[in-house]
Amino acid sequence: MKDFLRRVFSGGTQPAPQPVASSRAKLDIHEFGHGLVSIDSVDFIGHSSVSPNGRYRLIWADRHPDGTRGGYREEGHGTWALLENDRIILEGRLERPQDGHVADNGNFVLSDWMFGSELNGRFVGFRADGTEICERKFAANLGKSAVSEDGCFAICHTYNAPGSSDSCRYFLFDLEKGEEIASWEQQTGWADGYEFDTANRRVIIGAKEGDQAAYDFAGKMVDREGWQARRIAAGDLSVIRTALEDAGQSPSIELRDALFAGLDVAAKGDDIWTQAKALRLRGEMQEQAGEVVLAIEAYEQALAIDPQVGVARRLGKLRRSQQPAGKGAKPAKASRYQKQAERLGIRHEVVELVQDGAKQWRFDGSSAVSSVEEAALDHYRADGWEGAAAEGGLILTLIKAASFNAVPQRNADTFVEALYAQNVAFDEDRFEPRKMIETIARSTRGQIEANWKIIAVTASNSPAFYPSVRREHVLGLYENLRPERLVEIARVFATAPYDLRAGWPDLTLWKNGSVKFVEIKAPGDSMHAKQARLISTLLLPLGFETVLAEVKAK
């Protein structure tokens, strides 16, 4: 590729494409996945796109000409070339060429992501003879693009660029006239792909979850009502909210029923933030309709999933509106941590510590200054508990140590969630979760001790990625959980390893065969959605005592 790059890069900063003699030999092209190709005879490795009729191939490489730097950089143009019947007929360069497409007549387009970190981009089109068709610069980064099969039209879209008129839009080009003919806002979100219907002058945009939306060449959506109905039914919150806003204060019964059905779909999805937002929106609709009891229920469910969903004050106001008027002493006002614990269905307790600075705490006057979690751990130790302030690091390390008769040395530093999700590069690192769980069920203390030595070898007495976890923690938790309880945790963890790796309470405690988990909240802290999900998905269903400890200064 060095000769190829040297030839293309002789001259100014961005010269016009250079035609190449058609007598050049046919190239031997090796294709890999995801559009990657290599061409040994010109020392080229990069991306490729082939015209529908197979006659033309466009190749490009977003790398410095010396081949040492790719991707983001400040200088060093990338290269592209057009091939006809696997012979190079045209060569050129752009700052950072990306996402090329070529039509049956040899017309082609490329996106230039450009040097530096500015939100900008350049969309260019050429004919097979090197004549430039169009060049459009944007004050936004470029997303996916396409060219019609006949080479007459092209389209691209831009990503978010606050303050720019180019932000989040589609742009349609007439390549015969060499001009932009339409531009419109992204109602459907970012494109997953495009299809052209040039006979009817339409472009079909592949949208979310396999859905499609057709636009005419003036940028107007075809059958917008049908698209909106499909997105509402799929639980698309942005479309649901837009439809609700368009309907004003009094949506029709039919629309209201459709919106609630879509919210039910969103609330049952996998994303916890979407679930909470769907329940919040349901509560807002019910509150607006005067259905206060139902609104309270929806807000409570939303807060149980994501304590930061933003309806706590509104919920409190609605609750007060439902209390009967009367005389007598008012009950003591519950703290927000107590309310969060109630919504999650866990116990709330107050832990008094000595504060020594903004984030410095101690159990009592004679204790060393430490983090609030370590000081709270001393509080529970005084009550006979042992444990660790390691969030999920301790339980994840124990699951890993118990999942293998002998942890392979090559996996000493592999995260357990990657092993259970089989998110690994090599087949030899791909272990069947069912068998790992079976190994946990028959695990022994000796097995845990031996595997601990392998896991901790890179950092002497602690895993490299969980420095607060120690040997005595792993063995202590194992002896109190026993394989029977540990395997229950592992079974749930295996259903969503990456989701359930985060959100574990700050403290893991054990005493006389009992294990409990404590989330520590200092003044100003708040409960997060991942914590709420871990507690409601794993700890409570398995019957573990779970506590939200509100820290107050003595």
Side-chain angles (χ1 to χ4, degrees):
M1 180 159 183
K2 291 180 181 178
D3 291 340
F4 173 57
L5 292 169
R6 190 177 299 115
R7 180 178 61 254
V8 174
F9 277 81
S10 59
T13 59
Q14 189 166 302
Q18 298 296 313
V20 176
S22 60
S23 60
R24 174 167 294 181
K26 187 174 182 179
L27 300 176
D28 186 14
I29 301 172
H30 302 283
E31 299 190 23
F32 304 96
H34 306 288
L36 284 170
V37 299
S38 68
I39 308 174
D40 294 340
S41 59
V42 293
D43 194 21
F44 175 85
I45 298 177
H47 286 83
S48 165
S49 176
V50 180
S51 63
N53 61 9
R55 178 179 175 183
Y56 293 97
R57 180 189 294 268
L58 182 64
I59 62 174
W60 64 93
D62 177 16
R63 285 200 303 278
H64 190 279
D66 63 11
T68 59
R69 297 195 306 279
Y72 169 81
R73 58 191 183 279
E74 297 290 345
E75 54 86 24
H77 286 61
T79 60
W80 59 262
L82 181 66
L83 285 64
E84 184 177 10
N85 298 321
D86 290 340
R87 292 177 173 85
I88 295 178
I89 61 171
L90 195 64
E91 298 172 340
R93 59 179 178 166
L94 293 168
E95 292 180 16
R96 293 192 55 203
Q98 297 281 345
D99 195 33
H101 302 276
V102 59
D104 284 345
N105 65 353
N107 287 354
F108 64 94
V109 295
L110 281 158
S111 296
D112 186 355
W113 285 5
M114 306 182 72
F115 295 147
S117 57
E118 298 290 329
L119 296 181
N120 57 15
R122 178 191 293 118
F123 188 68
V124 295
F126 296 95
R127 294 190 175 88
D129 63 1
T131 303
E132 182 178 289
I133 302 174
C134 63
E135 177 180 359
R136 171 67 151 88
K137 293 182 179 179
F138 299 94
N141 289 340
L142 286 170
K144 289 189 176 182
S145 62
V147 66
S148 63
E149 186 173 324
D150 59 10
C152 295
F153 300 93
I155 190 171
C156 68
H157 79 77
T158 55
Y159 291 124
N160 186 41
S164 170
S165 59
D166 292 335
S167 177
C168 294
R169 297 186 69 83
Y170 288 100
F171 297 87
L172 183 66
F173 299 86
D174 185 326
L175 298 185
E176 291 185 310
K177 297 179 179 179
E179 61 184 29
E180 178 185 318
I181 58 173
S183 169
W184 62 92
E185 293 183 3
Q186 293 173 1
Q187 302 173 64
T188 59
W190 296 336
D192 287 331
Y194 306 93
E195 295 178 22
F196 281 94
D197 178 2
T198 54
N200 294 303
R201 296 183 64 82
R202 292 179 178 180
V203 58
I204 302 165
I205 297 175
K208 298 176 181 178
E209 301 163 359
D211 196 9
Q212 292 182 329
Y215 286 82
D216 63 27
F217 279 8
K220 182 179 179 181
M221 186 185 292
V222 179
D223 188 23
R224 188 177 188 278
E225 290 185 0
W227 171 82
Q228 184 182 64
R230 293 194 304 273
R231 296 313 308 155
I232 290 173
D236 189 325
L237 293 187
S238 63
V239 177
I240 290 174
R241 189 173 290 278
T242 298
L244 188 58
E245 290 172 353
D246 291 344
Q249 297 294 318
S250 302
S252 66
I253 295 175
E254 294 78 9
L255 177 59
R256 191 172 187 269
D257 289 344
L259 294 177
F260 276 141
L263 290 173
D264 287 342
V265 172
K268 294 175 182 177
D270 294 330
D271 182 77
I272 52 178
W273 290 276
T274 299
Q275 293 172 14
K277 290 176 182 177
L279 288 164
R280 171 180 172 163
L281 190 52
R282 170 180 278 276
E284 289 172 350
M285 291 178 62
Q286 290 166 332
E287 182 182 359
Q288 185 180 42
E291 301 167 351
V292 177
V293 174
L294 293 175
I296 289 174
E297 181 181 350
Y299 289 152
E300 287 176 338
Q301 292 175 354
L303 284 165
I305 295 171
D306 181 3
Q308 295 181 314
V309 72
V311 294
R313 290 185 180 180
R314 183 177 294 176
L315 174 60
K317 182 178 179 180
L318 289 182
R319 281 174 170 168
R320 289 191 294 273
S321 72
Q322 295 299 102
Q323 294 175 351
K327 298 182 180 180
K330 294 182 178 180
K333 185 178 181 180
S335 72
R336 66 189 182 98
Y337 299 115
Q338 187 174 349
K339 294 176 182 177
Q340 289 174 352
E342 290 174 355
R343 287 193 292 267
L344 287 171
I346 63 178
R347 189 157 59 86
H348 167 268
E349 61 188 27
V350 174
V351 174
E352 293 188 344
L353 301 174
V354 177
Q355 189 168 16
D356 190 2
K359 294 186 178 181
Q360 298 295 315
W361 298 82
R362 61 177 85 215
F363 169 50
D364 56 29
S366 62
S367 302
V369 173
S370 65
S371 67
V372 68
E373 293 83 8
E374 290 288 348
L377 180 57
D378 287 339
H379 164 85
Y380 287 101
R381 281 177 175 151
D383 196 30
W385 292 91
E386 279 301 327
E391 296 183 336
L394 174 54
I395 188 66
L396 297 179
T397 299
L398 178 55
I399 290 174
K400 180 177 177 180
S403 296
F404 297 90
N405 293 320
V407 173
Q409 289 285 350
R410 61 184 286 119
N411 297 123
D413 286 341
T414 307
F415 287 103
V416 67
E417 58 267 25
L419 294 172
Y420 269 84
Q422 297 187 321
N423 182 23
V424 292
F426 303 102
D427 287 339
E428 60 190 292
D429 299 323
R430 205 175 304 279
F431 306 100
E432 189 175 341
R434 177 182 60 82
K435 292 184 178 179
M436 289 192 286
I437 291 173
E438 290 174 355
T439 303
I440 293 175
R442 58 175 184 269
S443 62
T444 65
R445 178 187 172 97
Q447 170 191 335
I448 304 301
E449 286 194 277
N451 283 335
W452 166 259
K453 293 177 182 178
I454 296 171
I455 293 170
V457 69
T458 56
S460 298
N461 64 351
S462 175
F465 34 80
Y466 298 128
S468 60
V469 176
R470 298 286 187 270
R471 171 183 176 276
E472 61 269 22
H473 300 151
V474 174
L475 295 176
L477 180 58
Y478 178 75
E479 290 293 344
N480 284 270
L481 269 179
R482 307 303 301 163
E484 295 80 9
R485 293 292 269 161
L486 182 59
V487 79
E488 291 177 349
I489 294 174
R491 285 195 182 105
V492 179
F493 171 76
T495 63
Y498 279 99
D499 288 338
L500 298 178
R501 67 179 175 177
W504 288 86
D506 297 299
L507 305 186
T508 304
L509 305 174
W510 53 88
K511 178 172 65 172
N512 300 328
S514 295
V515 175
K516 75 175 179 179
F517 298 88
V518 182
E519 179 61 33
I520 305 298
K521 293 301 178 188
D525 287 347
S526 59
M527 186 73 75
H528 298 286
K530 288 184 178 180
Q531 296 169 332
R533 178 174 187 171
L534 191 285
I535 290 169
S536 61
T537 302
L538 194 152
L539 295 181
L540 291 184
L542 293 182
F544 284 102
E545 181 182 0
T546 308
V547 177
L548 192 158
E550 178 181 354
V551 173
K552 292 185 177 181
K554 288 183 180 180

